[in-house]
């Protein structure tokens, strides 16, 4: 007999089937045992006699043969796709035994560090699985929306010779005795690719050697990057970003109602038009509201980001707001200045529920201006020869934006810590396991010697 998925069993009432999966729950009722069997399609109730499943515990992997029968009316479970049926087991084969579990997977009462120490196991929890099913929708919608808008997907390298973003710290690697770095972003490559395909996007891991532990920074995260040429104005970038974000929200609403229910959350409030405000106006508003005077600061502090989101919620009933025109000195060398005021740039951040989830802007596409900006930013144009070729030989007006996958997941789902939105998070204290456990002092001395 061929295996069928649990969710197909309602089509087989009165017939024999073979199903397989993990034991999610075991309930002993004297002469009868109920097992909830979980496969990729969901849960199915198995009824069996105790001697068939004497040795069976949670997380054991089983193959069960039996007959599908309708459940008595008072036993129907409306919350399950298979809630009207059950399989009466005749044969139970153990495909793999699970050792005694260190904790109950169904009901996790662990601190975040412990939850991450046991990630291979805790990822099996229903709520945690739901987070990453929703994350999959974000990825797919980003991809589909941009493809529909005529963007071409490419894969960006993650080993790079120079530091593109400035500001954020980089991981240095010993590359056959030459200096190289882990990419902080695919920025330079997506711009180069505009010279090839006009409109491009890439989904890639990027690396930031964050020097501190916060609830919103990871050392490795997934960047969803888009870049487009022949823009008629920089506002076209905000419009495109808006389409991507609104599609992500509506797609989650459509495809993930089960997961949203499991997580018990409501999506942030988004309007068709996301409000847009210049940073200096935002700082004025924040000053009016709080008397906190950060009106000359080049960026918004975390408290300011929260405050301006509260303002957007009150004034526009929106959980999202675009902040635009960041000061020139705060943005990377490639950012296009505002022709009306050169101290500011045609750049933007998108904030959601108090935290930045997207950064973008128009770029300098004129070769000479770009070279002079590289110098102004204290870099050597010689280090950027490779990238500069794209501009030397004809680059249309262009710009783009990047979403942090874990950031957007965290904000949409209202998670407290960005690590909850990363399947295998990396930070300065962890690569899978805690670094304090992984690297005894002796070993790290050794590693240092090698990279000298
Ligand atoms: P930026 O450096 O602002 O811009 O990053 C873009 C987006 O990436 C996310 N992000 C992070 N997520 C997790 N951990 C981190 N340490 C981290 N740092 C940033 C945020 C942020 O909005 N090249 C530009 C983008 C562009 O202009 O196209 C860039 O990388 O969601």
């Amino acid at each position: 007999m061929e295996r069928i998925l649990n969710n197909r069993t309602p089509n087989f009432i009165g017939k024999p089937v073979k199903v397989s999966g993990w034991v999610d729950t075991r309930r002993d009722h004297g002469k009868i045992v109920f097992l909830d069997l979980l496969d990729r399609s969901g849960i199915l109730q198995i009824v069996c006699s105790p001697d068939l499943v004497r040795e069976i515990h949670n997380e054991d992997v089983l193959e069960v043969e039996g007959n599908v029968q309708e459940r008595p009316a008072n036993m129907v479970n409306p919350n399950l796709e298979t809630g009207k049926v059950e399989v009466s087991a005749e044969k139970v084969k153990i495909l793999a035994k699970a050792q005694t579990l260190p904790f109950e997977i169904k009901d996790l009462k662990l601190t975040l560090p412990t939850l991450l120490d046991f990630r291979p196991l805790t990822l099996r929890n229903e709520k945690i699985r739901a987070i990453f099913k929703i994350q999959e929708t974000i990825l797919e919608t980003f991809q589909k929306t941009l493809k529909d808008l005529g963007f071409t997907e490419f894969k960006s390298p993650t080993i790079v010779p120079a530091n593109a973003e400035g500001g954020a710290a980089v991981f240095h690697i010993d590359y056959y005795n030459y200096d190289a770095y882990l990419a902080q972003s695919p920025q330079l490559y997506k711009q180069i690719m505009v010279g090839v395909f006009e409109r491009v996007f890439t989904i890639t891991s990027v690396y930031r050697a964050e020097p501190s532990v916060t609830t919103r920074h990871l050392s490795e995260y997934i960047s969803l990057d888009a870049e487009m040429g022949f823009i008629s104005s920089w506002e076209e970038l905000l419009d495109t970003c808006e389409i991507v974000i609104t599609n992500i929200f509506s797609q989650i609403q459509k495809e993930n109602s089960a997961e949203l229910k499991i997580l018990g959350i409501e999506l942030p409030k988004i309007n068709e038009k996301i409000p847009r405000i210049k940073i200096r106006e935002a700082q004025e508003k924040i000053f009016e509201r709080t008397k906190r005077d950060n009106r000359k600061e080049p960026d918004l502090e975390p408290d300011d980001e929260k405050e301006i989101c509260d303002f957007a919620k009150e004034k526009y009933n929106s959980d999202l707001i675009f902040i635009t025109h960041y000061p020139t000195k705060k943005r990377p060398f490639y950012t296009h200045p505002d022709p009306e005021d050169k101290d500011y740039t045609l750049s933007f951040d998108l904030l959601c529920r108090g935290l930045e989830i997207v950064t973008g802007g128009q770029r300098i596409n004129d070769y000479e201006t770009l070279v002079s900006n590289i110098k102004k930013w204290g870099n050597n144009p010689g280090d950027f020869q490779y990238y500069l070729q794209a501009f030397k030989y004809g680059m249309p007006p262009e710009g783009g934006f990047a979403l942090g996958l874990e950031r957007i997941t965290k904000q949409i789902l209202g998670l407290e810590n960005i690590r909850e939105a990363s399947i295998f998070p990396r930070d300065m204290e962890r690569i899978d396991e805690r670094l304090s456990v992984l690297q005894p002092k002796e070993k790290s001395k050794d590693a240092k010697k090698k990279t000298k």
Side-chain angles (χ1 to χ4, degrees), residues 440-452:
K441 284 203 171 82
E442 293 297 306
K443 202 168 166 198
S444 54
K445 256 191 237 153
D446 232 33
K448 263 187 209 143
K449 249 188 251 155
K450 265 195 205 151
T451 52
K452 265 186 187 166

Side-chain angles (χ1 to χ4, degrees), residues 7 55 143 151 157 182 200 240 252 287 302 321 351 406 434:
N7 66 351
E55 301 298 315
Q143 214 167 16
F151 284 68
L182 293 181
V200 293
T240 310
I252 292 176
F287 178 64
I321 182 166
L351 311 187
E406 298 80 355
R434 299 182 204 196

Side-chain angles (χ1 to χ4, degrees), residues 59-73:
E59 299 308 314
D60 284 345
V61 184
L62 307 183
E63 184 180 274
V64 178
E65 286 181 43
N67 284 307
V68 183
Q69 59 196 31
E70 273 181 291
R71 294 196 201 184

Side-chain angles (χ1 to χ4, degrees), residues 165 184-187 190 208 210 216-221 223 225-227 331 334 349-350 356-361 363 400-408 418:
E165 297 294 335
Q184 290 172 294
S185 85
Q187 181 65 35
K190 67 175 176 172
R208 306 268 169 118
E210 297 291 349
R216 54 188 200 284
H217 292 101
L218 292 166
S219 307
E220 174 177 359
Y221 70 90
S223 192
D225 274 79
E227 196 77 7
R331 290 277 151 157
Y334 52 76
D349 277 1
L350 176 62
E356 170 200 321
I357 57 169
V358 181
T359 296
R363 328 296 184 185
F401 53 87
L403 287 69
L405 178 65
E406 298 80 355
R407 282 265 181 107
I408 187 167
I418 195 165

Side-chain angles (χ1 to χ4, degrees), residues 128-143:
I128 297 181
R129 280 203 323 258
I131 295 173
F132 296 107
K133 283 307 275 185
I134 293 174
Q135 190 165 81
E136 186 195 27
T137 306
I138 299 175
L139 283 165
E140 281 177 359
T141 312
F142 178 81
Q143 214 167 16

Side-chain angles (χ1 to χ4, degrees), residues 358-410:
V358 181
T359 296
Q362 183 169 344
R363 328 296 184 185
I364 297 171
N365 62 307
D366 174 66
Y367 173 71
E368 302 296 343
T369 320
L370 194 53
V371 169
S372 93
N373 242 40
I374 289 176
K375 284 187 202 149
K376 244 195 245 167
W377 260 244
N379 295 314
N380 173 10
D383 293 343
F384 291 88
Q385 274 316 319
Y386 190 80
Y387 160 75
L388 284 169
Q389 292 176 64
F391 297 84
K392 210 174 194 173
Y393 302 109
M395 178 65 78
E398 62 102 356
F401 53 87
L403 287 69
L405 178 65
E406 298 80 355
R407 282 265 181 107
I408 187 167
T409 310
K410 170 183 183 299

